[in-house]
Amino acid sequence: MLIESGDIVLIADSQGVMDSYEATGTSIDSKAPVAVLVNKGTASASEVMAGALQDNKRATIAGETTFGKGLIQTIVELSDGSAVSVTVARYQTPAGTDINKVGIKPDIVLEDQTLLPTDGPKFCKVMASGSAPNLFL
């Protein structure tokens, strides 16, 4: 919805890239500036989205390096009733970066997390003030 064209995510197995998902050309607004706030709790699908927006030069990513959850796993039930989790593939950003255990590195590092409150109205107030970081490069 934010990317007009280009890859969103690559899925790679042990043999290499086996699938890709692309934007469908139906973005809501492909021109408005976008900033995405991330932190060490940003994982999996939200990391995939941040990587897609960053690699497609569609958004500025700000905050701290994300969690690094880039594995696709399946549960295999064993004959004794237990189960094992098996990694079947990895997520990669459109540029081919494997995010597992590495995460997405922000364009703007925000080291002082107390600067940005998590409460919506308070966050908007800080962003409207002169003390807020410029998130639109």
Side-chain angles (χ1 to χ4, degrees):
M1 296 179 78
L2 296 171
I3 299 172
E4 185 67 24
S5 63
D7 287 331
I8 295 173
V9 65
L10 306 176
I11 297 176
D13 63 9
S14 61
Q15 306 299 311
V17 174
M18 61 180 206
D19 208 353
S20 66
Y21 291 88
E22 299 177 12
T24 61
T26 58
S27 67
I28 294 173
D29 184 351
S30 62
K31 304 281 188 248
V34 175
V36 177
L37 299 175
V38 297
N39 64 19
K40 61 187 173 197
T42 304
S44 204
S46 54
E47 281 180 295
V48 167
M49 178 56 97
L53 292 168
Q54 187 180 54
D55 283 1
N56 283 289
K57 311 246 184 285
R58 181 60 189 94
T60 300
I61 309 299
E64 56 189 3
T65 300
T66 62
F67 184 83
K69 166 71 171 81
L71 299 179
I72 301 169
Q73 299 173 313
T74 189
I75 305 295
V76 177
E77 192 170 326
L78 303 175
S79 61
D80 66 357
S82 63
V84 63
S85 177
V86 177
T87 299
V88 295
R90 296 176 176 268
Y91 290 122
Q92 294 179 351
T93 70
T97 303
D98 183 347
I99 65 173
N100 195 56
K101 296 185 181 179
V102 177
I104 302 293
K105 295 185 181 5
D107 301 309
I108 300 172
V109 176
L110 300 176
E111 294 181 24
D112 185 0
Q113 294 298 316
T114 60
L115 175 66
L116 299 173
T118 56
D119 173 79
K122 289 179 184 173
F123 174 81
C124 290
K125 185 175 181 179
V126 168
M127 293 310 294
S129 75
S131 66
N134 181 6
L135 300 180
F136 302 104
L137 299 173

